[in-house]
Amino acid sequence: MLQGKPNRRETLDILLKLLRREDAGRIVSGALLSEVLGISRTAVWKRVKQLRGRGYEIESTPSAGYRFISAPDKLLPEEIRDGLKTRTFGRVISYLEQTDSTNRVAGELARQGADHGTLVAADAQTHGKGRLGRSWISPPGCGLYLSLILRPPIHPSVIPLITLVAAVSLCESLNLQTALGVQVKWPNDLWIAGKKVGGILTEMSADMDQVRHVILGIGINVNLSLSRLPSDLRDRTTSLSRENGRPLNRVALLRGLLDSLEHDYDLFCEKGFKPFRRRWAGASMTFGRSVRVQMPQGVIRGVAHEIDERGGLRIETENGRMEAVLCGDVAVVMDDNIAGDEKRKQRRP
Ligand code: BT5
């Protein structure tokens, strides 16, 4: 028997744990479940039906008990929590089958007082947001569309650095988990082999001196097939499964990402951006390469060098001057030989 009566959510979590804990294929008796959970056998049966309704495959054998077969490929809170190591990130989860934008929902929850670390996850978005009014295409069943509510004890002026911290943290965690050679592109992109696989959108609510909350929005193409994207995006986009050659488990991936993000967020709050500058150098796809940066006030061309302590991208321009760009979209410029080869290829019949 458990100490104290668990609530509905806890009962489901414990039931799942008990069913899964046994060696694969073992049957757990209804009597044992009823005793451990402190509920009747009919109530156990009702909870099992509830789990099946959420997509779990659980076999029942009259008079013997229940056998766990498989979990659904969904970002269900009880799946995410099972084995999650974080202290605050993802400890409260709001899961939506479909929504317009997890960032919008998280903003709403934050205004209502949701805790630091609350995670909003969706299986699909109808109006996923990118930066500057752009959109994030978010088909169902194949991506990670997440927003974390943060309440950082830092000045509003340094909040943009959270995007850079998250980018390098996600990149390193993805590489640890998949070895796919993910790279970061300043300021908010994740790329593999020259194609975009994920992006970050950080939004803030603050007054002059104090941050009320930050929404860290993350979109990653996990098991996305390119045919689900508009045709103009297909040749510059990829997904983890496409690079990996087989599908990946989204929930396991997410647990690893939350772990890494929490660790690096804490490090950032304690030590600032300094520890991340070297890590950016190791993960960046643009350092040492010729780039073209589209900024609100115009275009700048040069060689990208490093990230400065404010998070700006330092560029050595064609006339040898060093400039730090604080906001813009970076494109790697092909060097003349490659560009020439490409042109010649295109001219061939
Ligand atoms: C981003 O913006 O890359 C930030 C994307 C953040 C999306 C997440 S999903 C969860 C959370 N809730 C939200 O509503 N948003 C966040 P940006 O750098 O502006 O890039 C946007 C551009 O990426 C678009 O204009 C397209 O060109 C391209 N794009 C759109 N969908 C894509 C996809 N699924 N994969 C790769 N590229 C995509």
Side-chain angles (χ1 to χ4, degrees), residues 68-85:
F68 185 88
I69 310 286
S70 68
D73 176 26
K74 286 191 178 165
L75 305 172
L76 298 177
E78 61 269 21
E79 286 298 300
I80 299 170
R81 275 194 298 266
D82 185 38
L84 184 66
K85 295 199 208 87

Side-chain angles (χ1 to χ4, degrees), residues 205-224:
S205 164
D207 50 36
M208 287 296 278
D209 293 315
Q210 207 184 354
V211 176
R212 279 190 285 271
H213 62 255
V214 168
I215 307 299
L216 176 64
I218 298 160
I220 300 175
N221 301 329
V222 181
N223 298 323
L224 174 88

Side-chain angles (χ1 to χ4, degrees), residues 20 30 87 106 163 233 239 335:
R20 307 182 118 133
R87 263 181 312 103
T163 304
L233 273 187
S239 65
D335 68 50

